[in-house]
Amino acid sequence: MTRSENIISRWSRMKRKSDNIVEPDGSVSGPKPNEAEAGDFNRATVATPPTDSPTSATFDLASLPPLQSIVAGTDIRSFLGSSVPVELTRAALRRAWVTDPAIRDFIGIAENQWDFNDPTAMPGFGPLKAEDVAGLIGLGEAGQACGASDEDAGAISAAGQVDEMDHARAVEYALLATLLSHSPDANMIEQLACLSGDATQLGAAHAALSSAAASMKPERIEREYFDLFVGLERGELFPYASYYLTGYLYGRPLARLRKTLNQLGLERTERRSEPEDHVAVLFEVMAGLAGGQIIAPGGTDRNIFESHLKPWIGRFFSDLEHAESAIFYSRVGSLGRIFMEIETEAFSL
């Protein structure tokens, strides 16, 4: 580290300390915590993770289990509270990571360690396959979901069909879920290139996506997806409700969503590592509700949209639409933004 870097680093630490100086009246200067989780639907800024806050002097260490008791799969949420000393939180996280072979033994992308010419050489990468999309969530056994009445279940099974508009919505949600869960393979890109548009905003977005698919190679689109959502250290965007609403992953929005999905009899499949508040998983749920694959009381799709999508999804698609590294996925962002605006207006009527 150079002398100038040392000076900048020391200045940064002093600045952070000065932001938390206690004023004479007992108040604390500096930025105040954000009390509202939901942001403006039309704002295109990603939530910034809050900085560490001073720990409580009265914190009782005896309220936590011993660090040595943490093993793979241990619930360490008690160590993540705002009153827990930062050093103890980090020690708990470190213990959880080193005791979990899936994390401890993970080999990331490293030069000369993988065959980058073979898309199947690296676990978790490669082109999207048809069977991957259907497994984003587990629909469980066929039957009536928790909370659905006999009348609700019978209405779908007796009719044997879904309203034309809801079918179109389900197709749109499924398309976006597919594109946001993984990069499309050559076969899907070829199908996207055949999309037709019309004079509507949504039709124009379809035409723009079709044009991008027709003009780009699958390898270029795959690279875009990697840069946006994976990255060598982290992707450019975090497509999670918790991150956009709180600045953290695995936050309270995820806990509330899991409770909602549990009431519908839905849970994440074991082979899926993404939390349920990932945009692709939420869109897969919406596609299932709109298309009738998920049996639920009337208005369930509206409730999930209003509670778990509307507060943040507009900002995410706007960020994707304007991402510097995106060409193909910029069109995906435009399509998603326009579709979400249509859904917002429709649900408000």
Side-chain angles (χ1 to χ4, degrees):
M1 181 179 290
T2 64
R3 182 173 182 274
S4 62
E5 288 174 331
N6 275 318
I7 294 174
I8 293 174
S9 177
R10 185 172 60 183
W11 177 88
S12 178
R13 290 196 301 271
M14 295 175 63
K15 181 67 171 62
R16 286 199 299 269
K17 290 180 181 178
S18 67
D19 287 340
N20 292 307
I21 294 176
V22 178
E23 300 294 342
D25 62 357
S27 62
V28 179
S29 65
K32 296 183 178 180
N34 182 15
E35 297 179 354
E37 290 184 355
D40 184 355
F41 183 81
N42 294 316
R43 292 180 62 189
T45 56
V46 180
T48 303
T51 56
D52 293 334
S53 59
T55 57
S56 172
T58 60
F59 178 75
D60 183 12
L61 291 176
S63 63
L64 296 175
L67 285 174
Q68 292 75 12
S69 66
I70 299 177
V71 296
T74 299
D75 186 348
I76 63 169
R77 282 177 291 183
S78 57
F79 288 91
L80 307 181
S82 59
S83 61
V84 180
V86 175
E87 295 78 6
L88 186 56
T89 296
R90 291 173 179 168
L93 289 170
R94 188 179 301 110
R95 174 74 182 178
W97 294 336
V98 300
T99 57
D100 188 345
I103 300 176
R104 182 190 65 223
D105 302 333
F106 175 74
I107 300 176
I109 297 177
E111 188 176 3
N112 300 325
Q113 198 160 20
W114 299 102
D115 181 2
F116 290 92
N117 294 316
D118 181 4
T120 64
M122 293 174 284
F125 296 90
L128 180 69
K129 298 178 181 178
E131 58 267 23
D132 293 334
V133 181
L136 280 170
I137 59 169
L139 300 183
E141 298 295 329
Q144 181 174 322
C146 176
S149 66
D150 294 334
E151 182 179 354
D152 292 320
I156 295 177
S157 60
Q161 58 183 3
V162 177
D163 178 83
E164 182 179 354
M165 183 62 69
D166 284 337
H167 174 72
R169 292 174 57 233
V171 170
E172 206 71 60
Y173 272 117
L175 171 62
L176 289 167
T178 301
L179 294 174
L180 293 169
S181 66
H182 212 303
S183 58
D185 61 11
N187 181 54
M188 183 175 183
I189 293 173
E190 184 178 346
Q191 295 180 28
L192 290 173
C194 298
L195 280 175
S196 59
D198 53 39
T200 65
Q201 280 190 315
L202 193 64
H206 284 153
L209 181 63
S210 174
S211 176
S215 62
M216 296 180 67
K217 294 182 178 180
E219 295 79 9
R220 177 66 182 86
I221 296 176
E222 183 178 356
R223 182 66 193 184
E224 264 193 32
Y225 184 92
F226 177 86
D227 291 339
L228 286 166
F229 303 116
V230 183
L232 293 177
E233 294 185 358
R234 53 160 286 182
E236 186 175 340
L237 299 177
F238 284 115
Y240 305 93
S242 292
Y243 184 82
Y244 269 84
L245 295 177
T246 70
Y248 292 107
L249 300 179
Y250 295 93
R252 283 179 292 175
L254 173 59
R256 289 196 290 265
L257 174 61
R258 283 177 172 170
K259 182 178 180 181
T260 299
L261 297 181
N262 183 62
Q263 292 171 347
L264 296 174
L266 305 178
E267 60 182 11
R268 187 179 62 183
T269 58
E270 292 183 358
R271 67 189 186 92
R272 286 291 167 184
S273 59
E274 293 289 2
E276 294 87 333
D277 64 343
H278 188 287
V279 60
V281 180
L282 275 164
F283 274 26
E284 186 74 10
V285 172
M286 291 295 291
L289 290 169
Q293 289 83 14
I294 300 177
I295 300 175
T300 299
D301 58 341
R302 175 178 180 174
N303 293 336
I304 289 181
F305 181 87
E306 295 284 346
S307 301
H308 304 291
L309 278 170
K310 182 179 177 181
W312 68 279
I313 195 63
R315 286 182 290 146
F316 164 72
F317 277 124
S318 183
D319 289 339
L320 179 58
E321 189 176 12
H322 297 95
E324 293 183 1
S325 62
I327 298 176
F328 175 84
Y329 272 94
S330 174
R331 310 303 194 275
V332 175
S334 298
L335 175 61
R337 176 183 58 78
I338 293 170
F339 180 49
M340 290 297 94
E341 290 173 353
I342 294 173
E343 287 283 270
T344 300
E345 183 178 357
F347 281 131
S348 67
L349 297 178

